[in-house]
Amino acid sequence: MAKIFLKLLLAAASGVLVSIAIAGPLSQGSPPPDFSLRSLDEKNLRLSEYRSEVVILNFWAPWCGKCLEALQSLDALYADYREAGLQVLSVTVEGPPEDIREHLSGTGISFPVLTDDDYKSVSRMYDLGKLPLTLLIDREGNLRYRHAGLKRETNQKIVGQLEVLLSE
Amino acid sequence: MGIHHLVKNIFVGTMLALLSHISLADPLAQAAAITSLDHDTQALKKAVLDLNKELFLLEEELLYPANTQVAVFVSMDVGQYFALESVQLTMDGKDVGNYLYTEREVDALHRGGVHQLYLGNLKVGEHELVAIFTGKGPHGRDYKRGATLEFAKNIGSKYVELSISDRVEQLQPEFMVREWD
């Protein structure tokens, strides 16, 4: 019996240490900060309402050259995996919405594009560094993978990770 | 998120400890332990949930003591003439909240839900609260209205309700601010 209590105590202590180690706004395995933003089609969308779906959350800006390329890759993924439970949300850190609509006209992007230009509150919460920033969030709402910037192998990695999350 | 995540980690850690204990025991004890594991797991899960709830209440009591606590709620009655999109809240001229409501949240308000928009601390004395409601008004037009409340904060909690209802005779929405002590 004493052994069990000792193990429970050790487990609790390890829980505390793990928790301290992963503290921070963007910790892998923890829920990322929740937010709601207005989309280009004038709907308010909240990240936490997509729990039970795998979410790809992408941050971008119109002045970022590789961002449009990343958005188009994500749109292809969205078309392929939407039925399997994928939701893509992209957040632009620049505005206004009219300019973003014009910027994206002709690209055929079909997932919601949200604008964070008024207060930049969401961008601040997510502590953006290199753009595009792409986050993969599992069905339980936990951040699982993070990709800053766009490298040649990024899309391939995202597909592999996405398939893992969709199969869970 | 810290304290609740901590509780979750403790739960996971404890479960791992239980499992490792079973794997180390002799075969007979192992069989008995497996039989009772489900009950133990359920009991442990309930204990963790209770602990999490207590921690949440304790956290709230510590951060917002009853003597200085001010809470602002949003409610909606019918709302036929107004489709709520956001509420911006200022307290004594300082922005304290800007909340965008999703379709699901507005639907919950229509069904009688009440949303806690703000929870904070205020000193005893006179204060001014301004709420700006944004949405679509009659005929789908952009609609923005403000409501102001000047109130005295005494010792004890103060609750303020921002209520959206319909003024049927004028076919317009109505925004009211009510105090609750």
Side-chain angles (χ1 to χ4, degrees):
Chain A
M1 198 64 183
K3 274 185 179 175
I4 296 178
F5 278 114
L6 186 63
K7 282 185 178 177
L8 288 176
L9 191 65
L10 284 171
S14 63
V16 171
L17 290 174
V18 167
S19 181
I20 290 167
I22 62 171
L26 277 184
S27 311
Q28 284 187 336
S30 300
D34 192 24
F35 62 85
S36 69
L37 285 174
R38 198 149 182 79
S39 68
L40 290 183
D41 56 358
E42 302 199 322
K43 283 184 179 166
N44 294 338
L45 302 179
R46 180 174 296 281
L47 176 63
S48 57
E49 289 185 1
Y50 292 95
R51 214 164 265 192
S52 83
E53 291 177 66
V54 173
V55 176
I56 294 185
L57 179 61
N58 170 265
F59 289 88
W60 66 282
W63 42 258
C64 151
K66 291 203 168 179
C67 288
L68 193 59
E69 192 187 322
L71 287 177
Q72 284 168 328
S73 301
L74 290 177
D75 201 47
L77 277 184
Y78 187 50
D80 290 345
Y81 293 94
R82 190 179 182 174
E83 293 292 313
L86 169 67
Q87 178 62 56
V88 178
L89 298 174
S90 78
V91 177
T92 170
V93 299
E94 296 288 336
E98 308 81 63
D99 291 358
I100 301 300
R101 271 190 210 101
E102 198 182 318
H103 185 76
L104 294 178
S105 65
T107 59
I109 300 291
S110 54
F111 51 74
V113 177
L114 313 169
T115 52
D116 186 31
D117 60 320
D118 282 350
Y119 298 96
K120 300 224 181 328
S121 52
V122 176
S123 311
R124 274 201 295 268
M125 277 195 300
Y126 277 77
D127 194 19
L128 304 183
K130 208 171 182 183
L131 289 177
L133 175 67
T134 306
L135 307 172
L136 278 79
I137 299 165
D138 67 19
R139 292 183 195 272
E140 291 188 4
N142 295 316
L143 171 64
R144 294 284 293 276
Y145 305 104
R146 183 180 193 275
H147 298 274
L150 184 69
K151 295 174 200 147
R152 197 177 298 164
E153 67 277 12
T154 302
N155 286 335
Q156 210 175 347
K157 275 188 183 172
I158 288 176
V159 172
Q161 291 162 346
L162 178 61
E163 286 182 349
V164 169
L165 296 185
L166 287 169
S167 66
E168 285 179 355
Chain B
M1 72 125 199
I3 207 150
H4 307 289
H5 199 78
L6 176 71
V7 171
K8 187 181 161 192
N9 281 334
I10 290 173
F11 177 70
V12 172
T14 309
M15 289 309 300
L16 287 172
L18 278 174
L19 289 170
S20 65
H21 177 74
I22 289 166
S23 66
L24 291 173
D26 64 74
L28 285 174
Q30 194 176 18
I34 287 169
T35 315
S36 63
L37 180 63
D38 188 45
H39 295 290
D40 291 346
T41 309
Q42 292 307 320
L44 189 60
K45 197 173 171 184
K46 189 180 176 309
V48 169
L49 286 173
D50 289 344
L51 179 64
N52 200 25
K53 189 179 161 191
E54 278 176 36
L55 283 170
F56 180 78
L57 292 172
L58 184 66
E59 195 178 13
E60 203 152 271
E61 270 177 38
L62 286 171
L63 290 174
Y64 310 105
N67 279 348
T68 57
Q69 191 181 90
V70 174
V72 180
F73 299 90
V74 175
S75 70
M76 192 181 269
D77 185 17
V78 190
Q80 195 182 331
Y81 303 117
F82 183 67
L84 178 65
E85 286 172 2
S86 71
V87 180
Q88 191 181 344
L89 194 68
T90 60
M91 195 79 77
D92 299 324
K94 188 182 166 192
D95 280 345
V96 292
N98 183 38
Y99 197 90
L100 296 181
Y101 288 86
T102 65
E103 276 180 7
R104 200 186 286 187
E105 288 167 327
V106 171
D107 184 48
L109 289 172
H110 276 300
R111 285 188 282 128
V114 175
H115 172 236
Q116 183 178 281
L117 177 64
Y118 171 72
L119 182 65
N121 297 302
L122 276 186
K123 289 178 192 168
V124 169
E126 297 294 320
H127 298 278
E128 186 191 57
L129 177 152
V130 178
I132 296 168
F133 301 84
T134 312
K136 299 280 182 206
H139 310 295
R141 289 182 190 144
D142 287 342
Y143 202 95
K144 197 172 186 178
R145 286 290 181 280
T148 305
L149 174 72
E150 284 177 9
F151 64 95
K153 171 78 178 70
N154 300 316
I155 291 175
S157 305
K158 168 72 80 182
Y159 301 107
V160 177
E161 180 188 359
L162 308 175
S163 166
I164 303 164
S165 57
D166 288 338
R167 201 186 294 166
V168 180
E169 61 274 16
Q170 294 179 7
L171 304 176
Q172 290 288 322
E174 186 171 37
F175 304 93
M176 287 166 64
V177 188
R178 276 181 243 167
E179 283 181 68
W180 302 88
D181 283 315

